[in-house]
mmCIF file with all atom_site columns, all heavy atoms in Angstrom:
data_model
loop_
_atom_site.group_PDB
_atom_site.id
_atom_site.type_symbol
_atom_site.label_atom_id
_atom_site.label_alt_id
_atom_site.label_comp_id
_atom_site.label_asym_id
_atom_site.label_entity_id
_atom_site.label_seq_id
_atom_site.pdbx_PDB_ins_code
_atom_site.Cartn_x
_atom_site.Cartn_y
_atom_site.Cartn_z
_atom_site.occupancy
_atom_site.B_iso_or_equiv
_atom_site.pdbx_formal_charge
_atom_site.auth_seq_id
_atom_site.auth_comp_id
_atom_site.auth_asym_id
_atom_site.auth_atom_id
_atom_site.pdbx_PDB_model_num
ATOM   1   N  N   . CYS D 1 74  ? 167.557 172.529 136.819 1.00 0.00 ? 74  CYS D N   1
ATOM   2   C  CA  . CYS D 1 74  ? 168.824 172.104 137.433 1.00 0.00 ? 74  CYS D CA  1
ATOM   3   C  C   . CYS D 1 74  ? 168.750 170.722 138.073 1.00 0.00 ? 74  CYS D C   1
ATOM   4   O  O   . CYS D 1 74  ? 169.645 170.351 138.841 1.00 0.00 ? 74  CYS D O   1
ATOM   5   C  CB  . CYS D 1 74  ? 169.342 173.113 138.455 1.00 0.00 ? 74  CYS D CB  1
ATOM   6   S  SG  . CYS D 1 74  ? 169.643 174.731 137.757 1.00 0.00 ? 74  CYS D SG  1
ATOM   7   N  N   . ILE D 1 76  ? 169.715 167.814 137.223 1.00 0.00 ? 76  ILE D N   1
ATOM   8   C  CA  . ILE D 1 76  ? 170.524 167.236 136.138 1.00 0.00 ? 76  ILE D CA  1
ATOM   9   C  C   . ILE D 1 76  ? 171.725 166.452 136.653 1.00 0.00 ? 76  ILE D C   1
ATOM   10  O  O   . ILE D 1 76  ? 172.547 165.978 135.896 1.00 0.00 ? 76  ILE D O   1
ATOM   11  C  CB  . ILE D 1 76  ? 170.979 168.386 135.188 1.00 0.00 ? 76  ILE D CB  1
ATOM   12  C  CG1 . ILE D 1 76  ? 171.818 167.915 133.988 1.00 0.00 ? 76  ILE D CG1 1
ATOM   13  C  CG2 . ILE D 1 76  ? 171.752 169.462 135.938 1.00 0.00 ? 76  ILE D CG2 1
ATOM   14  C  CD1 . ILE D 1 76  ? 171.111 167.023 133.043 1.00 0.00 ? 76  ILE D CD1 1
ATOM   15  N  N   . LYS D 1 77  ? 171.815 166.268 137.962 1.00 0.00 ? 77  LYS D N   1
ATOM   16  C  CA  . LYS D 1 77  ? 173.061 165.688 138.483 1.00 0.00 ? 77  LYS D CA  1
ATOM   17  C  C   . LYS D 1 77  ? 173.022 164.159 138.535 1.00 0.00 ? 77  LYS D C   1
ATOM   18  O  O   . LYS D 1 77  ? 172.045 163.559 138.980 1.00 0.00 ? 77  LYS D O   1
ATOM   19  C  CB  . LYS D 1 77  ? 173.333 166.230 139.890 1.00 0.00 ? 77  LYS D CB  1
ATOM   20  C  CG  . LYS D 1 77  ? 173.581 167.738 139.921 1.00 0.00 ? 77  LYS D CG  1
ATOM   21  C  CD  . LYS D 1 77  ? 174.893 168.112 139.264 1.00 0.00 ? 77  LYS D CD  1
ATOM   22  C  CE  . LYS D 1 77  ? 175.114 169.615 139.257 1.00 0.00 ? 77  LYS D CE  1
ATOM   23  N  NZ  . LYS D 1 77  ? 176.368 170.022 138.652 1.00 0.00 ? 77  LYS D NZ  1
ATOM   24  N  N   . SER D 1 96  ? 177.024 167.090 136.000 1.00 0.00 ? 96  SER D N   1
ATOM   25  C  CA  . SER D 1 96  ? 175.809 167.379 135.233 1.00 0.00 ? 96  SER D CA  1
ATOM   26  C  C   . SER D 1 96  ? 175.874 166.575 133.951 1.00 0.00 ? 96  SER D C   1
ATOM   27  O  O   . SER D 1 96  ? 176.276 167.080 132.913 1.00 0.00 ? 96  SER D O   1
ATOM   28  C  CB  . SER D 1 96  ? 175.747 168.865 134.884 1.00 0.00 ? 96  SER D CB  1
ATOM   29  O  OG  . SER D 1 96  ? 175.610 169.643 136.024 1.00 0.00 ? 96  SER D OG  1
ATOM   30  N  N   . ARG D 1 183 ? 181.435 168.558 131.170 1.00 0.00 ? 183 ARG D N   1
ATOM   31  C  CA  . ARG D 1 183 ? 181.296 168.397 132.619 1.00 0.00 ? 183 ARG D CA  1
ATOM   32  C  C   . ARG D 1 183 ? 182.049 167.170 133.123 1.00 0.00 ? 183 ARG D C   1
ATOM   33  O  O   . ARG D 1 183 ? 182.022 166.124 132.486 1.00 0.00 ? 183 ARG D O   1
ATOM   34  C  CB  . ARG D 1 183 ? 179.823 168.315 132.997 1.00 0.00 ? 183 ARG D CB  1
ATOM   35  C  CG  . ARG D 1 183 ? 179.080 169.621 132.732 1.00 0.00 ? 183 ARG D CG  1
ATOM   36  C  CD  . ARG D 1 183 ? 179.465 170.672 133.739 1.00 0.00 ? 183 ARG D CD  1
ATOM   37  N  NE  . ARG D 1 183 ? 178.916 171.978 133.427 1.00 0.00 ? 183 ARG D NE  1
ATOM   38  C  CZ  . ARG D 1 183 ? 179.071 173.036 134.211 1.00 0.00 ? 183 ARG D CZ  1
ATOM   39  N  NH1 . ARG D 1 183 ? 179.752 172.953 135.330 1.00 0.00 ? 183 ARG D NH1 1
ATOM   40  N  NH2 . ARG D 1 183 ? 178.553 174.188 133.873 1.00 0.00 ? 183 ARG D NH2 1
ATOM   41  N  N   . LEU D 1 236 ? 176.385 184.690 138.575 1.00 0.00 ? 236 LEU D N   1
ATOM   42  C  CA  . LEU D 1 236 ? 176.826 183.397 138.025 1.00 0.00 ? 236 LEU D CA  1
ATOM   43  C  C   . LEU D 1 236 ? 176.587 183.351 136.524 1.00 0.00 ? 236 LEU D C   1
ATOM   44  O  O   . LEU D 1 236 ? 177.399 182.847 135.755 1.00 0.00 ? 236 LEU D O   1
ATOM   45  C  CB  . LEU D 1 236 ? 176.027 182.249 138.664 1.00 0.00 ? 236 LEU D CB  1
ATOM   46  C  CG  . LEU D 1 236 ? 176.450 181.705 140.019 1.00 0.00 ? 236 LEU D CG  1
ATOM   47  C  CD1 . LEU D 1 236 ? 175.541 180.554 140.417 1.00 0.00 ? 236 LEU D CD1 1
ATOM   48  C  CD2 . LEU D 1 236 ? 177.893 181.231 139.981 1.00 0.00 ? 236 LEU D CD2 1
ATOM   49  N  N   . ASN D 1 284 ? 177.565 178.293 128.773 1.00 0.00 ? 284 ASN D N   1
ATOM   50  C  CA  . ASN D 1 284 ? 177.576 176.871 128.406 1.00 0.00 ? 284 ASN D CA  1
ATOM   51  C  C   . ASN D 1 284 ? 176.768 176.119 129.467 1.00 0.00 ? 284 ASN D C   1
ATOM   52  O  O   . ASN D 1 284 ? 177.323 175.452 130.327 1.00 0.00 ? 284 ASN D O   1
ATOM   53  C  CB  . ASN D 1 284 ? 179.034 176.386 128.365 1.00 0.00 ? 284 ASN D CB  1
ATOM   54  C  CG  . ASN D 1 284 ? 179.153 174.978 127.825 1.00 0.00 ? 284 ASN D CG  1
ATOM   55  O  OD1 . ASN D 1 284 ? 178.263 174.489 127.142 1.00 0.00 ? 284 ASN D OD1 1
ATOM   56  N  ND2 . ASN D 1 284 ? 180.262 174.319 128.143 1.00 0.00 ? 284 ASN D ND2 1
ATOM   57  N  N   . PRO D 1 285 ? 175.438 176.276 129.416 1.00 0.00 ? 285 PRO D N   1
ATOM   58  C  CA  . PRO D 1 285 ? 174.621 175.727 130.508 1.00 0.00 ? 285 PRO D CA  1
ATOM   59  C  C   . PRO D 1 285 ? 174.504 174.214 130.462 1.00 0.00 ? 285 PRO D C   1
ATOM   60  O  O   . PRO D 1 285 ? 174.568 173.613 129.394 1.00 0.00 ? 285 PRO D O   1
ATOM   61  C  CB  . PRO D 1 285 ? 173.244 176.357 130.257 1.00 0.00 ? 285 PRO D CB  1
ATOM   62  C  CG  . PRO D 1 285 ? 173.223 176.673 128.802 1.00 0.00 ? 285 PRO D CG  1
ATOM   63  C  CD  . PRO D 1 285 ? 174.637 176.940 128.384 1.00 0.00 ? 285 PRO D CD  1
ATOM   64  N  N   . CYS D 1 286 ? 174.329 173.622 131.623 1.00 0.00 ? 286 CYS D N   1
ATOM   65  C  CA  . CYS D 1 286 ? 173.946 172.211 131.670 1.00 0.00 ? 286 CYS D CA  1
ATOM   66  C  C   . CYS D 1 286 ? 172.506 172.118 131.160 1.00 0.00 ? 286 CYS D C   1
ATOM   67  O  O   . CYS D 1 286 ? 171.748 173.090 131.254 1.00 0.00 ? 286 CYS D O   1
ATOM   68  C  CB  . CYS D 1 286 ? 173.978 171.694 133.104 1.00 0.00 ? 286 CYS D CB  1
ATOM   69  S  SG  . CYS D 1 286 ? 175.555 171.913 133.925 1.00 0.00 ? 286 CYS D SG  1
ATOM   70  N  N   . LYS D 1 287 ? 172.136 170.941 130.681 1.00 0.00 ? 287 LYS D N   1
ATOM   71  C  CA  . LYS D 1 287 ? 170.754 170.739 130.222 1.00 0.00 ? 287 LYS D CA  1
ATOM   72  C  C   . LYS D 1 287 ? 169.802 171.045 131.371 1.00 0.00 ? 287 LYS D C   1
ATOM   73  O  O   . LYS D 1 287 ? 170.110 170.715 132.513 1.00 0.00 ? 287 LYS D O   1
ATOM   74  C  CB  . LYS D 1 287 ? 170.558 169.284 129.794 1.00 0.00 ? 287 LYS D CB  1
ATOM   75  C  CG  . LYS D 1 287 ? 170.733 169.070 128.313 1.00 0.00 ? 287 LYS D CG  1
ATOM   76  C  CD  . LYS D 1 287 ? 170.272 167.678 127.908 1.00 0.00 ? 287 LYS D CD  1
ATOM   77  C  CE  . LYS D 1 287 ? 170.466 167.500 126.414 1.00 0.00 ? 287 LYS D CE  1
ATOM   78  N  NZ  . LYS D 1 287 ? 170.255 166.123 125.990 1.00 0.00 ? 287 LYS D NZ  1
ATOM   79  N  N   . CYS D 1 289 ? 169.067 173.857 132.676 1.00 0.00 ? 289 CYS D N   1
ATOM   80  C  CA  . CYS D 1 289 ? 169.488 174.898 133.618 1.00 0.00 ? 289 CYS D CA  1
ATOM   81  C  C   . CYS D 1 289 ? 169.297 176.301 133.064 1.00 0.00 ? 289 CYS D C   1
ATOM   82  O  O   . CYS D 1 289 ? 169.888 176.658 132.048 1.00 0.00 ? 289 CYS D O   1
ATOM   83  C  CB  . CYS D 1 289 ? 170.950 174.716 133.990 1.00 0.00 ? 289 CYS D CB  1
ATOM   84  S  SG  . CYS D 1 289 ? 171.510 176.051 135.055 1.00 0.00 ? 289 CYS D SG  1
ATOM   85  N  N   . PRO D 1 290 ? 168.515 177.135 133.735 1.00 0.00 ? 290 PRO D N   1
ATOM   86  C  CA  . PRO D 1 290 ? 168.372 178.529 133.311 1.00 0.00 ? 290 PRO D CA  1
ATOM   87  C  C   . PRO D 1 290 ? 169.441 179.442 133.916 1.00 0.00 ? 290 PRO D C   1
ATOM   88  O  O   . PRO D 1 290 ? 169.513 180.615 133.572 1.00 0.00 ? 290 PRO D O   1
ATOM   89  C  CB  . PRO D 1 290 ? 166.988 178.902 133.856 1.00 0.00 ? 290 PRO D CB  1
ATOM   90  C  CG  . PRO D 1 290 ? 166.830 178.043 135.067 1.00 0.00 ? 290 PRO D CG  1
ATOM   91  C  CD  . PRO D 1 290 ? 167.625 176.795 134.847 1.00 0.00 ? 290 PRO D CD  1
ATOM   92  N  N   . ILE D 1 291 ? 170.259 178.912 134.823 1.00 0.00 ? 291 ILE D N   1
ATOM   93  C  CA  . ILE D 1 291 ? 171.278 179.758 135.461 1.00 0.00 ? 291 ILE D CA  1
ATOM   94  C  C   . ILE D 1 291 ? 172.481 179.916 134.536 1.00 0.00 ? 291 ILE D C   1
ATOM   95  O  O   . ILE D 1 291 ? 172.990 181.008 134.335 1.00 0.00 ? 291 ILE D O   1
ATOM   96  C  CB  . ILE D 1 291 ? 171.709 179.162 136.820 1.00 0.00 ? 291 ILE D CB  1
ATOM   97  C  CG1 . ILE D 1 291 ? 170.522 179.167 137.780 1.00 0.00 ? 291 ILE D CG1 1
ATOM   98  C  CG2 . ILE D 1 291 ? 172.878 179.952 137.412 1.00 0.00 ? 291 ILE D CG2 1
ATOM   99  C  CD1 . ILE D 1 291 ? 170.800 178.503 139.110 1.00 0.00 ? 291 ILE D CD1 1
ATOM   100 N  N   . ALA D 1 292 ? 172.941 178.811 133.989 1.00 0.00 ? 292 ALA D N   1
ATOM   101 C  CA  . ALA D 1 292 ? 174.020 178.830 132.995 1.00 0.00 ? 292 ALA D CA  1
ATOM   102 C  C   . ALA D 1 292 ? 175.324 179.394 133.540 1.00 0.00 ? 292 ALA D C   1
ATOM   103 O  O   . ALA D 1 292 ? 175.882 180.345 132.994 1.00 0.00 ? 292 ALA D O   1
ATOM   104 C  CB  . ALA D 1 292 ? 173.578 179.602 131.749 1.00 0.00 ? 292 ALA D CB  1
ATOM   105 N  N   . CYS D 1 293 ? 175.826 178.803 134.607 1.00 0.00 ? 293 CYS D N   1
ATOM   106 C  CA  . CYS D 1 293 ? 177.115 179.273 135.135 1.00 0.00 ? 293 CYS D CA  1
ATOM   107 C  C   . CYS D 1 293 ? 178.278 178.786 134.268 1.00 0.00 ? 293 CYS D C   1
ATOM   108 O  O   . CYS D 1 293 ? 179.365 179.345 134.319 1.00 0.00 ? 293 CYS D O   1
ATOM   109 C  CB  . CYS D 1 293 ? 177.307 178.827 136.580 1.00 0.00 ? 293 CYS D CB  1
ATOM   110 S  SG  . CYS D 1 293 ? 177.730 177.081 136.764 1.00 0.00 ? 293 CYS D SG  1
ATOM   111 N  N   . GLY D 1 294 ? 178.066 177.739 133.479 1.00 0.00 ? 294 GLY D N   1
ATOM   112 C  CA  . GLY D 1 294 ? 179.144 177.198 132.644 1.00 0.00 ? 294 GLY D CA  1
ATOM   113 C  C   . GLY D 1 294 ? 179.559 178.197 131.576 1.00 0.00 ? 294 GLY D C   1
ATOM   114 O  O   . GLY D 1 294 ? 178.749 179.000 131.108 1.00 0.00 ? 294 GLY D O   1
ATOM   115 N  N   . CYS D 1 499 ? 171.171 170.515 141.336 1.00 0.00 ? 499 CYS D N   1
ATOM   116 C  CA  . CYS D 1 499 ? 172.398 171.312 141.403 1.00 0.00 ? 499 CYS D CA  1
ATOM   117 C  C   . CYS D 1 499 ? 172.353 172.232 142.623 1.00 0.00 ? 499 CYS D C   1
ATOM   118 O  O   . CYS D 1 499 ? 171.383 172.967 142.829 1.00 0.00 ? 499 CYS D O   1
ATOM   119 C  CB  . CYS D 1 499 ? 172.550 172.145 140.136 1.00 0.00 ? 499 CYS D CB  1
ATOM   120 S  SG  . CYS D 1 499 ? 173.988 173.230 140.214 1.00 0.00 ? 499 CYS D SG  1
ATOM   121 N  N   . PHE D 1 501 ? 174.046 174.902 143.158 1.00 0.00 ? 501 PHE D N   1
ATOM   122 C  CA  . PHE D 1 501 ? 174.076 176.346 142.860 1.00 0.00 ? 501 PHE D CA  1
ATOM   123 C  C   . PHE D 1 501 ? 172.653 176.899 142.831 1.00 0.00 ? 501 PHE D C   1
ATOM   124 O  O   . PHE D 1 501 ? 172.390 178.003 143.280 1.00 0.00 ? 501 PHE D O   1
ATOM   125 C  CB  . PHE D 1 501 ? 174.763 176.623 141.520 1.00 0.00 ? 501 PHE D CB  1
ATOM   126 C  CG  . PHE D 1 501 ? 176.249 176.424 141.560 1.00 0.00 ? 501 PHE D CG  1
ATOM   127 C  CD1 . PHE D 1 501 ? 176.889 175.701 140.572 1.00 0.00 ? 501 PHE D CD1 1
ATOM   128 C  CD2 . PHE D 1 501 ? 177.015 176.959 142.580 1.00 0.00 ? 501 PHE D CD2 1
ATOM   129 C  CE1 . PHE D 1 501 ? 178.261 175.507 140.598 1.00 0.00 ? 501 PHE D CE1 1
ATOM   130 C  CE2 . PHE D 1 501 ? 178.389 176.774 142.624 1.00 0.00 ? 501 PHE D CE2 1
ATOM   131 C  CZ  . PHE D 1 501 ? 179.009 176.045 141.626 1.00 0.00 ? 501 PHE D CZ  1
ATOM   132 N  N   . MET D 1 502 ? 171.750 176.139 142.258 1.00 0.00 ? 502 MET D N   1
ATOM   133 C  CA  . MET D 1 502 ? 170.348 176.566 142.234 1.00 0.00 ? 502 MET D CA  1
ATOM   134 C  C   . MET D 1 502 ? 169.821 176.714 143.664 1.00 0.00 ? 502 MET D C   1
ATOM   135 O  O   . MET D 1 502 ? 169.147 177.683 144.000 1.00 0.00 ? 502 MET D O   1
ATOM   136 C  CB  . MET D 1 502 ? 169.518 175.536 141.447 1.00 0.00 ? 502 MET D CB  1
ATOM   137 C  CG  . MET D 1 502 ? 168.019 175.677 141.556 1.00 0.00 ? 502 MET D CG  1
ATOM   138 S  SD  . MET D 1 502 ? 167.392 177.271 140.994 1.00 0.00 ? 502 MET D SD  1
ATOM   139 C  CE  . MET D 1 502 ? 166.902 176.943 139.324 1.00 0.00 ? 502 MET D CE  1
HETATM 140 S  S1  . SF4 W 2 .   ? 174.044 176.247 137.849 1.00 0.00 ? 701 SF4 W S1  1
HETATM 141 FE FE1 . SF4 W 2 .   ? 175.842 175.758 136.635 1.00 0.00 ? 701 SF4 W FE1 1
HETATM 142 S  S2  . SF4 W 2 .   ? 176.493 173.689 137.350 1.00 0.00 ? 701 SF4 W S2  1
HETATM 143 FE FE2 . SF4 W 2 .   ? 174.385 174.044 138.070 1.00 0.00 ? 701 SF4 W FE2 1
HETATM 144 S  S3  . SF4 W 2 .   ? 173.116 173.092 136.516 1.00 0.00 ? 701 SF4 W S3  1
HETATM 145 FE FE3 . SF4 W 2 .   ? 173.345 175.272 135.979 1.00 0.00 ? 701 SF4 W FE3 1
HETATM 146 S  S4  . SF4 W 2 .   ? 175.081 175.439 134.552 1.00 0.00 ? 701 SF4 W S4  1
HETATM 147 FE FE4 . SF4 W 2 .   ? 175.131 173.423 135.576 1.00 0.00 ? 701 SF4 W FE4 1
#
Side-chain angles (χ1 to χ4, degrees):
C74 300
I76 181 64
K77 296 291 178 179
S96 294
R183 294 287 173 177
L236 277 182
N284 187 21
C286 304
K287 264 191 180 171
C289 176
I291 296 175
C293 76
C499 176
F501 288 133
M502 168 59 96

